[in-house]
Amino acid sequence: SNAIGSIFYLCILFVPTSPNKESHKPTMVSFRSSLLVCLLASSSYAFAVKPAAQPLAFTQRNAAASSINLSMSGGSGSVPDLKAPPAIYEGAVAAGAAKASAPWGKIFKLGIAAGCHIGFGSYLAITVGGACPAIAEANPGLQKIIFGAFGLPFGLIMTLVTGGELFTGNTALVTAAVMEGKTSKKDLMKNWVASYAGNFVGSLLLAFLAFKSGTLGTAPASVAIATAKCSLPFEASFVRGILCNWLVCMAVYMASGCASLAGKMVAVWFPISAFVALGLDHSVANMFIIPLGIMRGAQISVGDFLVKNLIPVTLGNIVGGALCVMGIYGTAFGKWFKTKDE
């Protein structure tokens, strides 16, 4: 019927008119137009392509997938904007297993990149939030918010988006993979040592470059912050390390459940700006801040840096990431501390 309709249309289109009978032209045009309208109205397939029928199983499968996506994201799309809580945990375990299986050299190099990223965040925080003495005197709370909001959040975003290896985040992700039987304790130690060493190298490199750049001028913030961090007792530094990495790993954990870059940025910004404003301690950030303070004249020995700050903060970061974050979700959604019968 489609072919017949098309031929009929072509015949109408090319009906000849007599060149010597001008009076017949309006009649012929009107006649052809009327026939064309009737033809199009009578056949919906004259100029349409009929879609191929899909198998019933394929249609049902697509409908089921669409309903799942709609329930999670509020709209249609192939990937939900936010995973369900059990799926976030499963994704974290998978990410930890992948990180643990990577070779030492790759982890180390990506660790250097992550150390530089966190160093850039600390650099910005000191430059902006650390240069507000009038605000700090008149409104200390506001100064802490400024110090937290500008700096470290963007450093962690760079790390997560580019696949950097950050020791503090790995304390949660790789630990979960071990507890779920997806990797070995040997690979966990490989990942932790390689990422920690790479973070240290990257942080020291950026601290040296920041010192040589001269952008901080004579501002005393870096010296004052480094001195304060190395003046705390072991216990206080340890507890601050726990609380800090609790928030950092929550940021990493929540960001892993977001499909969009905007979602990841929101997930990171609130916990990271909070830990900085609260005055907590992040071992990798301190690998930049304290050496920079020493370069700029802080009276801190290498021994004081390691014993009074870096070691207790690192131990606290491990507890915060492995137990306070992943211990909770591992027992809720995973197989932590469960027998085979459970």
Side-chain angles (χ1 to χ4, degrees):
S1 61
N2 294 350
I4 295 172
S6 299
I7 294 171
F8 186 33
Y9 166 69
L10 292 174
C11 291
I12 295 169
L13 193 63
F14 292 104
V15 170
T17 59
S18 174
N20 298 322
K21 297 181 179 180
E22 296 295 331
S23 60
H24 293 291
K25 282 185 178 181
T27 304
M28 182 59 67
V29 171
S30 176
F31 175 71
R32 287 192 298 184
S33 299
S34 300
L35 284 177
L36 179 59
V37 170
C38 293
L39 176 63
L40 291 176
S42 63
S43 177
S44 60
Y45 297 105
F47 298 99
V49 178
K50 185 176 181 180
Q54 297 290 350
L56 179 60
F58 179 85
T59 304
Q60 291 175 339
R61 189 163 59 247
N62 277 357
S66 298
S67 66
I68 294 172
N69 289 334
L70 285 169
S71 66
M72 286 300 299
S73 65
S76 61
S78 59
V79 180
D81 290 338
L82 179 64
K83 297 178 184 177
I88 296 177
Y89 177 73
E90 292 172 5
V93 171
K99 286 176 175 291
S101 66
W104 201 97
K106 179 180 179 180
I107 299 171
F108 178 74
K109 286 182 282 189
L110 292 175
I112 293 175
C116 290
H117 296 159
I118 300 302
F120 269 118
S122 302
Y123 189 11
L124 179 60
I126 292 172
T127 302
V128 178
C132 305
I135 297 176
E137 183 178 354
N139 192 339
L142 177 59
Q143 188 272 334
K144 289 179 180 180
I145 288 293
I146 296 172
F147 191 70
F150 296 96
L152 279 168
F154 104 86
L156 184 57
I157 282 291
M158 288 196 295
T159 299
L160 295 180
V161 171
T162 60
E165 290 285 349
L166 185 63
F167 166 77
T168 47
N170 290 349
T171 62
L173 300 179
V174 184
T175 300
V178 170
M179 295 299 291
E180 296 294 334
K182 303 299 182 181
T183 192
S184 66
K185 293 179 181 178
K186 180 181 178 181
D187 281 342
L188 176 142
M189 292 306 300
K190 174 194 68 177
N191 176 272
W192 282 11
V193 172
S195 61
Y196 193 86
N199 292 166
F200 212 158
V201 171
S203 297
L204 290 175
L205 173 63
L206 202 76
F208 178 75
L209 294 175
F211 171 68
K212 286 295 187 181
S213 71
T215 56
L216 295 173
T218 59
S222 59
V223 173
I225 294 170
T227 302
K229 286 182 176 293
C230 291
S231 301
L232 296 171
F234 189 100
E235 182 182 14
S237 295
F238 175 72
V239 173
R240 291 186 185 191
I242 294 175
L243 296 173
C244 170
N245 210 35
W246 193 334
L247 291 174
V248 170
C249 288
M250 281 304 303
V252 173
Y253 188 74
M254 292 190 298
S256 70
C258 300
S260 66
L261 178 59
K264 292 180 185 293
M265 292 175 70
V266 172
V268 164
W269 190 85
F270 284 99
I272 300 303
S273 60
F275 103 69
V276 178
L278 289 169
L280 304 177
D281 276 275
H282 187 265
S283 57
V284 180
N286 288 356
M287 291 173 185
F288 170 87
I289 294 170
I290 297 176
L292 177 63
I294 294 173
M295 293 177 196
R296 290 176 57 81
Q299 298 301 306
I300 302 169
S301 66
V302 174
D304 287 343
F305 165 44
L306 297 176
V307 175
K308 292 185 177 181
N309 184 271
L310 194 59
I311 292 175
V313 169
T314 299
L315 295 175
N317 287 167
I318 293 172
V319 173
L323 295 181
C324 296
V325 174
M326 286 317 240
I328 296 173
Y329 298 110
T331 54
F333 303 123
K335 300 183 295 185
W336 289 41
F337 311 119
K338 294 180 181 178
T339 63
K340 293 183 178 179
D341 297 332
E342 292 182 275

